[in-house]
Amino acid sequence: MQKGIWKTQEGDFEYRIDRKKDRSGEPWVTVTDYRGTYTEVHVPGKIEGIPVKALAKKTFLSRKNLKRAVLPEPLEEIGDWAFAYCTGLESVWIPKKRIKLGSSIFMECPKIKKVYLYEPELEKTAGEDEEQTAALLAAAAVLLDAEYLLDVQEAGTDSWMEKWDARMKTVMEAEDDEGYTKMILCGEEDYGCSLEEFMKSKRKGKVRLAMLRLLNPAGLDEKNRMLWEQYLLDHTKGCASEETWEVLREEHGYEEEYFKLFARIGGIRKENFDALLLDMEGDYAEMKAFFINYKEKHIGGGNFFDTLSLDD
């Protein structure tokens, strides 16, 4: 077995050359480690003229600077925990073909938003459908905890969408206190998480999931759309719990598609409008301007807040 280090402008790749245990003895490269600090990394398609067909376990483990990774067309296997604890990872490009995926490859990658699939030999661009599939694939690992949905070949098909929505429904319908007792029994109460805090965190997770699905509605049926919109409305400003508004303000206050979704489903109401603006204080000028304009067009009625400067 030959081992070595392949140096590139984006960092160094440790590798080994394996050979099939048959009469052909065909060689392939397994990348075993990456050393570098680049935010965007392209794994080589060939090393020493031999195709790279595998990423070993923990290849990119804890590479916190990594934001985008492009995997090569010859790839056939991604090992366990290959990108685990890459806390800055936002997107990954994977060839759309039969690939053996290990377990927990995106474990503790909270920022990952897109897992793109590209056809070998074609330009790596994504249309609207591909963008939505990429978002749902990433959410399968991060929000749904459903690794079985990381199916590179099936992703985006009608049957895959049905499985995705079935898993989402299970997550959304789970009781907010589910799992708390187990956490306490496992001694994790040392983190100081009360039942109330635990349930609030669960509701925020459901809000994130509902928002993401509504913003990526490919294959979403009308019944589920209405369910997820209603869930968001049941937790907006002025309700018994306000996780929808909190997630929007704290995590997406500068993202137009999110606050437009909030308005479209009816999150801005006459009775909660003043409180919404008060919560924004001097921040989120674009969202504040949108809310004021929305109120004038769709709700009507003037008040003191309509005259607030966007810089106040």
Side-chain angles (χ1 to χ4, degrees), residues 41-53:
V41 172
H42 297 72
V43 177
K46 289 185 177 182
I47 290 178
E48 297 191 18
I50 302 172
V52 173
K53 293 192 176 183

Side-chain angles (χ1 to χ4, degrees), residues 212-231:
L212 179 132
R213 189 63 178 108
L214 291 170
L215 287 170
N216 297 277
L220 180 64
D221 63 38
E222 183 67 10
K223 180 179 179 181
N224 283 331
R225 182 189 65 79
M226 293 176 66
L227 282 173
W228 311 146
E229 288 185 0
Q230 190 59 52
Y231 186 87

Side-chain angles (χ1 to χ4, degrees), residues 71-222:
L71 307 187
E73 294 175 6
L75 196 70
E76 295 179 358
E77 182 176 350
I78 301 175
D80 301 343
W81 313 296
F83 293 94
Y85 297 98
C86 290
T87 52
L89 186 64
E90 296 174 358
S91 63
V92 177
W93 288 82
I94 301 176
K96 189 174 178 63
K97 55 186 283 191
R98 185 180 297 278
I99 294 180
K100 180 181 179 182
L101 300 179
S103 64
S104 304
I105 59 176
F106 297 121
M107 182 173 69
E108 297 298 326
C109 294
K111 292 185 178 180
I112 189 165
K113 302 298 182 186
K114 300 287 179 70
V115 176
Y116 291 101
L117 305 178
Y118 70 89
E119 297 285 351
E121 307 302 331
L122 296 180
E123 186 179 356
K124 298 179 180 65
T125 57
E128 184 177 349
D129 289 346
E130 289 80 12
E131 288 283 350
Q132 293 192 31
T133 297
L136 297 176
L137 266 172
V142 177
L143 298 179
L144 292 181
D145 191 24
E147 290 194 335
Y148 65 89
L149 289 172
L150 290 175
D151 189 321
V152 175
Q153 285 191 299
E154 191 182 5
T157 64
D158 291 343
S159 60
W160 183 81
M161 291 292 188
E162 290 175 4
K163 293 177 185 177
W164 201 99
D165 283 330
R167 174 56 183 166
M168 176 176 175
K169 191 171 184 180
T170 298
V171 172
M172 296 294 288
E173 291 180 348
E175 297 293 334
D176 291 338
D177 62 354
E178 184 177 304
Y180 183 74
T181 300
K182 181 179 179 181
M183 183 187 74
I184 296 298
L185 292 175
C186 291
E188 296 179 22
E189 73 276 8
D190 293 340
Y191 292 107
C193 181
S194 67
L195 176 59
E196 181 180 354
E197 292 169 329
F198 180 87
M199 294 174 66
K200 188 177 189 64
S201 177
K202 289 288 284 289
R203 288 193 293 270
K204 282 189 172 183
K206 293 177 181 181
V207 163
R208 296 183 188 104
L209 188 55
M211 285 182 168
L212 179 132
R213 189 63 178 108
L214 291 170
L215 287 170
N216 297 277
L220 180 64
D221 63 38
E222 183 67 10

Side-chain angles (χ1 to χ4, degrees), residues 256-271:
E256 184 179 7
E257 61 177 346
Y258 279 89
F259 55 76
K260 283 189 173 181
L261 169 66
F262 183 70
R264 177 172 59 79
I265 67 173
I268 304 174
R269 304 165 178 168
K270 185 175 183 179
E271 59 269 24

